[in-house]
């Protein structure tokens, strides 16, 4: 008996019978071809899919039909292949073959696509065919070259998260306002100068990021966004905030950093859920009074023109743990500062403060106090350099013994020179941090490294710039630096200078364009954490297998196709391995023997096993499942 769908053999049919069947088969094919010519070939999408298979492997498409998730991040796509839009419309390729199906290959049981990631490509537009994916709940197209969004976007009525950040959008289509289920809308780093008047129709929004655009005002309909939890308006051109913003009773985080605000509406004081308020880099002359903000934990108002710090500004903020007022014109600190008993960080650097209340020493939770750049009369430079705890101890010792004399000559202070103001010298000397981030520069200026001098810097943050290479002068910090952040740049290779940082424990190079790591990195014998997410690795960097001190490897959102479980097993310190959203077609069972792993993240890959239900049970269950699959 022939197997179903198997080929015709001589033992099954007489030759004369086969000869009779052939003309019928040919006639059938001709008839089908003629019918396709009239009606359009329903398999045309598959031929296009095959042509595009180099950019979008068919294995990914097939896996997406089962998981409902498709990750095409960082594949250099100039446009989205048609078969991606038609993934739930066209008949799958498996259905074209006359073969038997196992349980894992039942194309007719496919799942509608709910999550589509197209981030970090070169897309200039999205097709109106996006309407063919009505089940989408997540659409991520950040870091592309989009100048507009298709009106068909408004038909994705199930969409809950839309990330179109880091593009070149100049407007938001009115159709977007139809997305009534949208909870997260990320529009940061675009070229938006205005928003539709009806923006408040998106009443379901819980997260809205409009930072780094060209907005000059906010629509009054914002008052309708009563479910917002996080609102980011940083780095725009806002001169005021609408008073109606106070209707956002659930708002916990409001970021208005780097605008042109001269005042803050008094209604802001009624926002009882507010926990974090960022007002840095504006033109404020005073702090807002926030009597109802009992839950406020962080207030950032540095780099303004604040001259007076009133008791009224402080006395209601009983939950405050961070108060940042650096680079203002504050002349004195009121005794009421001691009411902030939960305060952990107080930054008053670069103001005009000549004297501190000694009761400041009674803030028992205070771990960080910055005072550099003030003309302090009673605190010498050497005392400031001893750190926060020594300074608080000194202040407590002076509470009962105020020896300040009005005629006393001021001692040497810790004033920051104006020429150094763009480089955070205070951070270098006190925090041992060299920071030059979010400047969008292609090269780190020599002045930044020159400012280090003989100070032992332990942390470097050059993230969110336009660096194409690691600065060669990083080698100058090799004897002290432990933590380096080059995230969100355009770095294509790791230089040998970085490999000389023999004290390095943490390295963050996420969101770059790396495809490999040099073998010389094996010299980083103290490295514990490395973040390589959102790069372009197609293979697991082999040098990582030889850095046995590694405790955490973050390699999500790349194109890695395989891992070597035997090499990973030798890494006895490795506790976290993140391989989400890669191209793993299979998970080797031997990975289950890596018992040091406490966190193993594999979601978003095109493998068939372990199934999503196993992954959802957590790392221990996944490892146990893999061990059960090891051949004996």
């Amino acid at each position: 008996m022939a197997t179903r769908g198997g080929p015709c053999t001589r033992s099954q049919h007489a030759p004369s019978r086969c000869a009779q069947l052939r003309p019928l088969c040919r006639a059938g094919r001709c008839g089908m071809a003629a019918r396709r010519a009239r009606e359009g070939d329903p398999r045309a999408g598959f031929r296009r899919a095959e042509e595009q298979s180099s950019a979008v492997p068919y294995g990914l498409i097939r896996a997406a039909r089962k998981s409902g998730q498709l990750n095409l991040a960082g594949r250099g796509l100039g446009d989205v292949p048609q078969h991606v839009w038609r993934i739930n419309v066209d008949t799958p390729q498996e259905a074209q073959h006359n073969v038997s199906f196992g349980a894992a290959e039942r194309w007719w049981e496919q799942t509608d696509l709910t999550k589509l990631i197209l981030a970090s490509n070169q897309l200039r537009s999205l097709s109106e065919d996006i309407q063919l994916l009505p089940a989408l709940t997540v659409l991520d197209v950040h870091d592309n070259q989009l100048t507009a969004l298709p009106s068909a976007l408004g038909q994705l009525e199930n969409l809950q998260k839309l990330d179109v950040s880091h593009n070149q959008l100049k407007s938001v289509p009115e159709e977007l306002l139809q997305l009534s289920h949208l909870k997260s809308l990320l529009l940061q780093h675009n070229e938006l100068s205005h928003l539709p008047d009806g923006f408040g129709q998106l009443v379901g929004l819980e997260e809205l990021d409009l930072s780094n655009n060209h907005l000059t005002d906010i629509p009054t309909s914002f008052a309708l966004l009563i479910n917002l939890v996080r609102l980011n308006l940083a780095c725009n051109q806002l001169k005021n905030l609408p008073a109606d913003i106070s209707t956002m009773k659930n708002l916990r985080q409001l970021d208005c950093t780097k605008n042109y605000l001269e005042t803050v509406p008094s209604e802001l004081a009624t926002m009882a859920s507010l926990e974090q308020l960022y007002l840095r880099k504006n033109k404020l002359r005073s702090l807002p009074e926030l009597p109802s903000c009992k839950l406020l934990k962080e207030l950032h108002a540095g780099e303004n023109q604040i001259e007076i710090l009133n008791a009224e500004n402080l006395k209601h903020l009983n939950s405050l743990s961070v108060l940042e007022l650096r680079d203002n014109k504050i002349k004195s600190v009121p005794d009421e500062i001691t009411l902030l008993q939960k305060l952990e960080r107080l930054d008053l650097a670069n103001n005009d403060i000549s004297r501190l209340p000694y009761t400041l020493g009674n803030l028992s939770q205070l771990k960080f106090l910055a005072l550099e750049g003030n003309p302090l009369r009673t605190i010498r430079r050497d005392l400031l350099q001893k750190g926060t705890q020594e300074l608080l101890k000194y202040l407590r010792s002076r509470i009962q013994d105020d020896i300040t004399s009005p005629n006393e000559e001021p001692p040497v202070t810790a004033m920051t020179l104006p020429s150094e103001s763009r480089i955070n010298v205070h951070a270098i000397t006190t925090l041992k941090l060299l920071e030059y981030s979010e400047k969008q520069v292609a090269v780190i200026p020599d002045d930044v490294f020159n400012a280090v001098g003989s100070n032992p810097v332990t942390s470097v943050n050059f993230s969110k710039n336009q660096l194409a290479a690691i600065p060669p002068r990083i080698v100058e910090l090799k004897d002290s630096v432990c933590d380096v952040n080059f995230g969100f740049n355009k770095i294509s290779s790791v230089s040998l200078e970085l490999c000389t940082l023999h004290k390095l424990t943490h390295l963050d190079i996420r969101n770059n364009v790396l495809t490999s790591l040099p073998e010389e990195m094996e010299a980083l014998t103290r490295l514990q954490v490395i973040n390589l997410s959102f790069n372009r690795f197609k293979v697991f960097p082999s040098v990582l297998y030889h850095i046995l001190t590694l405790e955490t490897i973050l390699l999500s959102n790349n194109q890695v196709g395989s891992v070597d479980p035997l090499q990973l097993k030798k890494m006895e310190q490795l506790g976290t391995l993140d391989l989400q959203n890669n191209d793993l077609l299979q998970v080797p069972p031997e990975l289950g023997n890596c018992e040091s792993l406490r966190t193993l993240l594999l979601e978003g890959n095109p493998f068939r096993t372990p199934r999503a239900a196993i992954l959802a049970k957590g790392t221990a269950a996944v490892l146990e499942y893999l061990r059960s699959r090891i051949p004996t």
Side-chain angles (χ1 to χ4, degrees):
M1 192 71 185
T3 58
R4 185 178 57 172
C8 175
T9 63
R10 292 183 183 274
S11 62
Q12 294 164 347
H13 296 289
S16 59
R17 178 61 177 159
C18 290
Q20 292 171 355
L21 291 175
R22 285 190 195 106
L24 294 174
C25 292
R26 282 196 295 269
R29 284 197 296 269
C30 292
M32 289 172 66
R35 190 160 59 252
R36 287 186 195 126
R38 291 192 303 270
E39 301 175 0
D41 187 350
R43 291 186 293 178
F46 289 103
R47 283 199 289 272
R48 285 193 295 272
E50 291 164 359
E51 293 165 6
Q52 299 269 1
S53 61
S54 59
V56 183
Y58 189 73
L60 278 181
I61 297 293
R62 187 165 54 191
R65 285 199 174 94
K66 296 170 185 174
S67 68
Q69 302 183 11
L70 179 57
N71 183 355
L72 300 177
R75 292 183 172 272
L77 298 177
D79 52 36
V80 179
Q82 186 68 14
H83 67 286
V84 172
W85 301 129
R86 301 183 62 84
I87 187 171
N88 299 139
V89 177
D90 289 334
T91 308
Q93 185 170 317
E94 299 96 306
Q96 308 302 323
H97 304 301
N98 188 17
V99 296
S100 60
F101 294 98
E105 298 172 322
R106 293 175 178 170
W107 53 266
W108 56 85
E109 294 179 356
Q110 69 181 32
T111 301
D112 283 343
L113 200 65
T114 59
K115 183 177 182 180
L116 177 59
I117 300 177
L118 297 167
S120 301
N121 282 293
Q122 299 168 25
L123 304 177
R124 295 183 180 276
S125 63
L126 294 178
S127 170
E128 295 286 344
D129 286 341
I130 198 170
Q131 63 189 304
L132 299 177
L133 302 174
L136 277 185
T137 60
V138 176
L139 176 60
D140 183 350
V141 288
H142 84 268
D143 188 20
N144 277 284
Q145 300 168 28
L146 300 177
T147 57
L149 295 175
S151 58
L153 203 61
Q155 299 184 36
L156 304 182
E157 58 182 21
N158 293 300
L159 202 62
Q160 296 180 23
K161 179 176 181 179
L162 175 60
D163 187 348
V164 287
S165 61
H166 292 269
N167 278 284
Q168 300 165 24
L169 300 178
K170 291 180 169 56
S171 63
V172 174
E174 295 282 348
E175 290 80 4
L176 186 70
L177 308 182
Q178 301 170 17
L179 302 177
S180 57
H181 291 97
L182 201 61
K183 293 182 178 180
S184 175
L185 177 56
L186 307 180
L187 288 161
Q188 68 268 31
H189 288 277
N190 277 285
E191 298 175 13
L192 301 175
S193 57
H194 67 282
L195 296 173
D197 291 337
F199 204 86
Q201 295 176 38
L202 297 172
V203 292
L205 277 184
E206 297 175 5
E207 177 183 29
L208 175 58
D209 195 335
L210 292 162
S211 61
N212 290 277
N213 278 285
H214 308 310
L215 299 175
T216 56
D217 56 33
I218 298 298
T220 55
S221 66
F222 254 51
L224 301 175
L225 302 179
I226 57 175
N227 292 305
L228 267 186
V229 175
R230 292 177 295 278
L231 174 58
N232 193 341
L233 300 170
C235 302
N236 279 286
Q237 300 169 24
L238 302 175
K239 294 184 177 180
N240 54 65
L241 295 176
D244 289 341
I245 200 171
S246 61
T247 61
M248 299 177 184
K249 298 300 183 184
N250 293 307
L251 198 66
R252 293 205 290 265
Q253 184 184 85
L254 175 60
D255 192 343
C256 298
T257 301
K258 201 174 182 181
N259 278 281
Y260 300 117
L261 301 177
E262 295 184 2
T263 59
V264 174
S266 57
E267 288 81 1
L268 196 69
T270 66
M271 301 177 72
S273 296
L274 204 58
E275 295 179 3
Q276 296 174 310
L277 178 58
Y278 295 85
L279 298 169
R280 299 183 72 246
K281 296 187 178 181
N282 279 282
K283 296 184 176 182
L284 300 178
R285 294 189 176 277
S286 63
L287 270 183
E289 294 180 14
L290 305 167
S292 298
C293 297
K294 304 291 186 183
L295 301 179
L296 193 65
K297 294 180 174 63
E298 297 185 22
L299 176 54
H300 300 261
E303 296 186 61
N304 278 283
Q305 300 171 24
I306 298 172
E307 297 181 0
I308 298 176
L309 191 59
N310 290 320
E312 291 296 321
N313 300 130
L314 304 174
K315 66 181 184 181
H316 302 289
L317 304 179
N318 300 326
S319 299
L320 206 63
S321 62
V322 176
L323 178 57
E324 189 264 303
L325 295 167
R326 67 178 298 117
D327 294 284
N328 277 287
K329 300 177 180 179
I330 298 170
K331 292 180 170 56
S332 64
V333 179
D335 289 332
E336 285 78 6
I337 191 90
T338 56
L339 296 175
L340 309 181
Q341 281 298 308
K342 293 186 179 180
L343 204 60
E344 297 179 8
R345 294 178 63 87
L346 176 58
D347 192 341
L348 296 168
N350 301 328
N351 277 281
D352 295 332
I353 301 169
S354 59
R355 184 180 180 279
L356 288 175
Y358 293 134
T359 51
L360 197 61
N362 287 332
L363 292 176
S364 58
Q365 302 296 317
L366 201 61
K367 299 180 178 66
F368 173 83
L369 174 60
L371 293 168
E372 273 73 12
N374 283 285
L376 294 168
R377 293 172 59 87
T378 57
I379 302 177
R380 299 185 62 87
R381 181 193 295 268
D382 60 339
L383 183 57
L384 291 175
Q385 292 177 341
K386 289 183 179 179
T388 297
Q389 295 310 312
E390 286 296 317
L391 181 55
L392 294 179
K393 182 179 178 181
Y394 167 78
L395 291 172
R396 284 194 297 271
S397 73
R398 301 296 296 273
I399 290 175
Q400 301 299 328
D401 184 21
D402 189 342
I403 60 172
T404 302
S405 167
N407 297 320
E408 182 181 359
E409 286 294 319
V412 178
T413 65
M415 288 293 290
T416 302
L417 297 176
S419 61
E420 299 173 331
S421 61
R422 69 187 184 92
I423 301 170
N424 194 335
V425 177
H426 156 71
I428 294 173
T429 57
T430 304
L431 303 179
K432 299 181 180 179
L433 165 65
L434 179 59
E435 181 167 12
Y436 204 77
S437 63
E438 298 189 64
K439 308 292 186 185
Q440 299 302 312
V441 296
V443 177
I444 302 297
D446 284 337
D447 287 352
V448 175
F449 288 99
N450 295 341
V452 174
S454 59
N455 294 292
V457 168
T458 58
S459 299
V460 173
N461 184 1
F462 291 158
S463 65
K464 298 181 180 178
N465 282 296
Q466 301 288 324
L467 304 180
I470 291 172
R473 289 189 65 180
I474 194 80
V475 71
E476 298 173 14
L477 310 176
K478 65 179 182 180
D479 293 329
S480 60
V481 72
C482 304
D483 187 337
V484 171
N485 187 348
F486 283 113
F488 297 90
N489 278 287
K490 297 181 178 180
I491 297 171
S492 58
S493 64
V494 171
S495 68
L496 298 185
E497 285 86 357
L498 186 74
C499 303
T500 65
L501 307 182
H502 57 90
K503 292 190 175 181
L504 199 62
T505 59
H506 292 71
L507 178 58
D508 188 342
I509 330 181
R510 79 183 94 168
N511 287 76
N512 279 280
V513 290
L514 296 171
T515 57
S516 63
L517 297 178
E519 293 300 321
E520 287 80 0
M521 281 186 67
E522 191 174 348
L524 302 178
T525 55
R526 298 189 185 184
L527 193 61
Q528 298 173 9
V529 178
I530 187 166
N531 191 341
L532 299 168
S533 301
F534 287 99
N535 276 283
R536 298 181 181 177
F537 291 95
K538 294 188 176 179
V539 296
F540 190 97
S542 59
V543 67
L544 298 184
Y545 294 130
H546 305 300
I547 306 178
L548 301 182
T549 52
L550 278 172
E551 300 173 3
T552 299
I553 299 176
L554 306 179
L555 200 57
S556 68
N557 294 280
N558 281 279
Q559 301 167 38
V560 174
S562 64
V563 293
D564 188 335
L566 300 181
Q567 297 273 26
L568 286 172
K569 190 175 188 302
K570 297 176 183 177
M571 304 177 71
E572 297 179 354
Q573 304 299 318
L574 190 62
T576 298
L577 178 59
D578 185 353
L579 292 168
Q580 294 179 98
N581 299 323
N582 276 282
D583 290 349
L584 297 175
L585 292 173
Q586 62 178 4
V587 181
E590 292 79 8
L591 194 58
N593 289 330
C594 298
E595 297 180 2
S596 65
L597 285 175
R598 295 183 299 278
T599 303
L600 174 61
L601 303 175
L602 296 170
E603 289 81 1
N605 281 282
F607 55 75
R608 293 181 180 177
T609 56
R611 299 274 185 191
I614 299 292
L615 296 180
K617 293 181 180 179
T619 299
V622 172
L623 295 179
E624 182 180 354
Y625 170 83
L626 291 173
R627 285 194 294 273
S628 72
R629 307 267 295 188
I630 297 176
T632 56

